[in-house]
Amino acid sequence: MTLQESKDLDYLISDESKRRYPSRLKTCIKYFNEPNMVFLGGGLPSSDYFPFDNISINVPKPPFKSGITNSIVEKDDKQEDVTDISLFKDLKIFDNDIPLSRSLQYSNTQGHPEFIKFLREHTEIVHDMKISDWDIAVSCGSTSAFESVLRIFCNPGDIMFFESNSFSSFIDAARGQNIKTFPIPIDEEGIIPEEFEKILNNWDSNYRKPKLLYTIPTGQNPTGSTIKIDRKKKIYKLAQEHDLIIIEDDPYYFLQLYPYIKDVNKREFLNKDNKVNSKDFLKTLEPTFLSLDYDGRVIRLDSFSKIFAPGVRLGWITTQKRFIEKFMRLHESTFLIPSGFSVSIITNLLNKWGQEGYLQWLINLKREYTIKRDFVIDGLIKNIPKELIDNEIIKIYPPEAGMFFIIKMNVKKHPEFKEKDKFNLNIEKFEMYMYEKFVKNRVCIVPGIWFSAIDPELDISKNIEIDDYIFFRGSFAGTSKELEKGLERIGETLKEEYIDQKEKKRSK
Ligand code: PLP
């Protein structure tokens, strides 16, 4: 299939972004590494004075025969399980190494070619790209990339669509820049396209119509929901009809887990002999918004935070080339480049593992997080009184992706919810009370209200219906020891509140 060029959507950018031009000084950096060029044009410190001569790091080696969790130190005698990452100031061992004299120097804001090349190949393997002029720019993780999105596309006072409960740091980031947030109803499968359509079609013309939809399609934070392809197609169509840009923030994309099976003996993925082939793994992944994007209206944010470690502060942005230019213009005067240590270590690791090795890492991660998800769901079923679950006073859902689980609680079924001198039907009061009760019982899970995209400063944002259930978010990323204790305490708290309280009332 011949790919089409993306649409020119530059008219959607912010006033700030319109004012940005390429830094004239930065245009000459491309000559820095050219042979026979005497480069005296930049304020680049001499790498002779970088006090870093070499770095050596051991990481596990694909296909990760002994799993991805064991410390390499513990298996000193098994050197065949180790990938050695050795980087030198001026020496390249492999073609794709970025020597420290280069990675620790000022350089092109888009990213080093060795890194971008790997990511381009990865993109072609994972996403079915529909436009010809797509490109990639490196980021310092999705938090920083999201901040850039706000500055490139929003003017103060703009309104932006968010899932009705969404990642609170990004809601705060938007509001901090005087961008209002408008909630889109979601359920266990993410954004409800029909509800979104109603909102778009009935938009109050007294308010500027949003240009951006921010979504976390996989293992959503906080609800754990995942948007399937049918809904994604409908949402993308709405974005086309209403000229929206979709910000696809997908840090949990590769944590799409095996289905939850109640019977432990039937959990086949646990069988270590079941080798997963990377082609089969790729087939199990939900297609992304990026893969549906014929116009170039999707901006995808990827991050290594949940794949390697949050502290590497490295990620990437994929979208049409014109938008990538806008990111580069901004980044030239904000973060410039991510840490050279991170870039050279991660680039070396990726190139040594290769695309196949990286996929094997992701396959292992999926298995590990499925074990944790199953542990938590089994534990909730075990610890929450059965009658609360059977009567749907408490609802739990095995998330299909990510690292979050939610516990839904029917507020109206709480024995004191309607009592005037207690909660007096005040949901917020009830949520905060429950939060404090969990903390008192030494387990910290967080109330859904903290993730609400209802904007207190935007009247039309408040029309969203609230149902009988509130929710609390927990993470299953912890150790099984921590999780076990936490789940017992959650069960105990719910029993005290919904069963013991009722008994107390009855016996009064
Ligand atoms: N986006 C979502 C949905 C998240 O849940 C998180 C972290 O929890 C981030 C972004 C942060 O990503 P990064 O570490 O790449 O900034």
Side-chain angles (χ1 to χ4, degrees), residues 251-381:
Y252 307 102
Y253 185 65
F254 290 107
L255 302 185
Q256 296 185 46
L257 312 174
Y258 293 99
Y260 177 72
I261 296 173
K262 215 169 169 187
D263 184 348
V264 182
N265 299 318
K266 292 193 176 144
R267 292 176 188 168
E268 284 176 17
F269 74 92
L270 286 172
N271 183 349
K272 280 219 164 176
D273 297 333
N274 277 356
K275 286 275 158 277
V276 183
N277 157 319
S278 57
K279 282 206 177 93
D280 292 339
F281 167 68
L282 289 166
K283 277 188 219 147
T284 64
L285 300 174
E286 275 299 319
T288 56
F289 277 114
L290 194 67
S291 306
L292 301 175
D293 187 17
Y294 286 94
D295 294 349
R297 60 176 68 252
V298 173
I299 297 174
R300 183 176 166 86
L301 312 182
D302 277 285
S303 167
F304 285 118
S305 286
K306 318 291 163 156
I307 289 172
F308 292 142
V312 300
R313 303 314 303 142
L314 202 57
W316 67 102
I317 302 160
T318 316
T319 185
Q320 59 152 293
K321 215 177 182 69
R322 284 183 211 86
F323 287 167
I324 289 292
E325 289 281 328
K326 308 287 180 288
F327 280 99
M328 283 165 60
R329 292 299 79 80
L330 176 65
H331 295 169
E332 277 164 6
S333 55
T334 54
F335 70 77
L336 218 55
I337 48 167
S339 159
F341 290 115
S342 269
V343 173
S344 46
I345 292 168
I346 298 297
T347 304
N348 190 304
L349 178 154
L350 291 171
N351 282 313
K352 275 206 169 158
W353 280 2
Q355 297 292 345
E356 179 60 28
Y358 183 49
L359 290 174
Q360 283 302 327
W361 176 262
L362 300 172
I363 289 167
N364 276 274
L365 216 51
K366 165 178 174 160
R367 183 177 183 278
E368 292 295 325
Y369 275 98
T370 306
I371 293 172
K372 285 185 184 294
R373 189 273 321 271
D374 290 357
F375 187 84
V376 160
I377 299 300
D378 295 347
L380 289 172
I381 294 172

Side-chain angles (χ1 to χ4, degrees), residues 139-144 167 170 214 216 219-221 249-252 302-306 310 313-315 404 473:
S139 77
C140 295
S142 300
T143 306
S144 149
F167 183 36
F170 285 15
Y214 168 72
I216 310 160
Q220 204 249 9
N221 184 0
D249 178 23
D250 223 356
Y252 307 102
D302 277 285
S303 167
F304 285 118
S305 286
K306 318 291 163 156
R313 303 314 303 142
L314 202 57
F404 300 112
R473 184 198 80 171

